[in-house]
């Protein structure tokens, strides 16, 4: 793992099905990626407008007024997790590949092809507006179609040095809002039956967000949590499904400590700490 690599928090500003459709954003899509390039990508349907989300503040306002509600599975557009890879191409473009280890749409993750070409879109002053991904994937009707997606990185949140020293008032179990803090939990069961797919789950905390996905047979559980500021407790934005995810075990910094356990049990499921970093 590249020691200089930081965790990333990225939201999708739009998707456009080519050649005829206008750019829109019907989902709240957030991708958390660890320094080791493990990722969780969750896409839930928006309740309001479906116009492109043009800024980080707009995404946070649109996404972070959740009240911890439990949503229906029909509100989940797609969720998947695995490992990402990027290779440089000529010019300013890169080729991205996202290997799926869990996928809400299929248990045959080995058959999923998820790749695209990425390039930065700049304004007239040479500043990056967003990253454009282009390629082909199945549209909502299940037909392979050309697409473009725009992606924006949420900036890291700086923290006050006094807060790191414990001098600031904090709510219990609030976490310190370490901008580069990251921890990844993963679980995999034995096969449910001969020829069946194993139960799998992954949860990532990256900066201000925690989100995870658990697939147990055909049953899905998805959660997203958010911490608005240091000393303020993480809050669950939404949950889909009836299973249990250990997101609340990541709302403080205990599992980031050097002597923290390498595995935890939550809801009768054992989760392994497969990656963690604080800088």
């Amino acid at each position: 793992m590249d020691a200089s690599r930081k965790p990333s928090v990225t939201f999708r500003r739009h998707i456009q099905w080519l050649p005829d459709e206008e750019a829109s954003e019907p989902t709240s899509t957030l991708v958390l990626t660890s320094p080791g390039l493990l990722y969780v990508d969750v896409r839930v349907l928006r309740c309001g407008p479906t116009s492109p989300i043009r800024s980080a503040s707009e995404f946070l306002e649109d996404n972070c007024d959740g009240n911890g509600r439990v949503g229906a599975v029909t509100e989940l557009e797609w969720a998947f997790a695995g490992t990402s890879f990027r290779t440089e191409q000529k010019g300013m473009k890169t080729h991205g590949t996202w290997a799926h280890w869990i996928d809400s749409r299929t248990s045959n993750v080995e058959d999923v092809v998820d790749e695209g070409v990425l390039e930065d879109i700049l304004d007239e002053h040479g500043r990056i507006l967003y990253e454009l991904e282009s390629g082909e994937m199945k549209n909502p009707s299940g037909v392979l179609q050309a697409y473009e997606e725009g992606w924006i990185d949420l900036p890291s949140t700086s923290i006050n040095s006094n807060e790191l020293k414990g001098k600031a008032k904090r709510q219990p179990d609030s976490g310190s809002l370490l901008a580069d803090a990251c921890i990844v939990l993963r679980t995999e069961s034995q096969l449910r039956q001969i020829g069946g797919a194993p139960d799998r789950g992954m949860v990532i905390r990256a900066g201000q967000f925690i989100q995870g996905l658990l697939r147990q047979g055909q049953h899905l559980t998805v959660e997203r949590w958010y911490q608005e500021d240091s000393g303020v407790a993480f809050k669950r934005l939404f949950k889909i499904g009836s299973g249990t995810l250990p997101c609340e075990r990541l709302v403080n910094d205990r599992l980031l400590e050097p002597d923290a356990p390498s595995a935890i049990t939550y809801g009768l499921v054992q989760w392994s700490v497969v990656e963690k970093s604080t800088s």
Side-chain angles (χ1 to χ4, degrees):
M1 183 176 71
D2 184 348
S4 66
R5 189 180 291 125
K6 306 295 184 184
S8 68
V9 178
T10 308
F11 72 90
R12 194 175 72 179
R13 78 181 294 277
H14 76 266
I15 184 169
Q16 183 174 10
W17 296 103
L18 303 175
D20 299 323
E21 291 192 13
E22 295 290 328
S24 65
E25 186 45 82
T27 72
S28 172
T29 293
L30 186 73
V31 184
L32 305 185
T33 305
S34 74
L37 301 182
L38 297 171
Y39 73 89
V40 174
D41 184 325
V42 173
R43 310 175 181 201
V44 294
L45 297 174
R46 295 170 73 189
C47 300
T50 59
S51 56
I53 303 172
R54 302 186 183 279
S55 67
S57 59
E58 185 180 345
F59 175 81
L60 292 173
E61 290 172 6
D62 181 75
N63 179 81
C64 295
D65 58 356
N67 56 7
R69 63 184 179 83
V70 177
V73 174
T74 53
E75 296 179 45
L76 179 64
E77 199 266 346
W78 198 7
F80 51 97
T83 307
S84 62
F85 309 90
R86 288 201 182 197
T87 55
E88 299 292 333
Q89 292 190 326
K90 291 182 179 179
M92 302 297 290
K93 297 182 179 182
T94 60
H95 181 267
T97 302
W98 294 267
H100 291 208
W101 189 66
I102 326 166
D103 192 307
S104 64
R105 295 179 176 177
T106 179
S107 59
N108 298 318
V109 290
E110 297 81 6
D111 298 335
V112 177
V113 177
D114 189 354
E115 59 184 356
V117 175
L118 304 112
E119 61 179 314
D120 290 334
I121 302 301
L122 310 178
D123 65 13
E124 64 272 18
H125 303 294
R127 295 173 297 200
I128 298 174
L129 292 173
Y130 59 91
E131 185 175 51
L132 184 69
E133 176 190 339
S134 58
E136 285 188 335
M137 66 177 172
K138 290 183 179 180
N139 63 25
S141 300
V143 178
L144 195 65
Q145 186 173 350
Y147 74 91
E148 290 183 346
E149 290 177 309
W151 298 94
I152 295 178
D153 287 335
L154 284 170
S156 296
T157 302
S158 60
I159 55 176
N160 187 295
S161 60
N162 288 336
E163 293 170 350
L164 280 177
K165 298 173 183 178
K167 295 181 179 179
K169 274 192 171 182
R170 294 167 49 192
Q171 297 181 15
D173 296 331
S174 63
S176 59
L177 190 55
L178 297 166
D180 295 325
C182 183
I183 187 165
V184 183
L185 302 182
R186 192 163 60 187
T187 186
E188 182 174 19
S189 75
Q190 300 297 316
L191 294 181
R192 296 172 63 87
Q193 56 187 3
I194 296 175
D199 295 346
R200 286 177 172 176
M202 189 184 297
V203 180
I204 295 181
R205 171 184 167 182
Q208 293 169 267
F209 284 92
I210 303 168
Q211 67 178 12
L213 164 64
L214 175 64
R215 181 174 183 134
Q216 297 170 299
Q218 297 302 312
H219 300 286
L220 300 169
T221 305
V222 176
E223 293 186 27
R224 182 182 296 165
W225 294 56
Y226 174 66
Q227 184 186 26
E228 185 175 2
D229 200 357
S230 184
V232 176
F234 274 89
K235 66 177 181 178
R236 191 179 75 191
L237 300 178
F238 61 79
K239 175 182 178 179
I240 293 174
S242 58
T244 56
L245 285 168
C247 296
E248 67 179 358
R249 292 291 298 273
L250 303 185
V251 300
N252 58 57
D253 303 327
R254 291 169 189 156
L255 286 176
L256 290 167
E257 295 172 358
D259 58 349
S262 60
I264 63 170
T265 299
Y266 190 84
L268 302 180
V269 175
Q270 185 172 30
W271 295 79
S272 299
V273 179
V274 296
E275 185 182 344
K276 64 181 178 180
S277 63
T278 56
S279 61

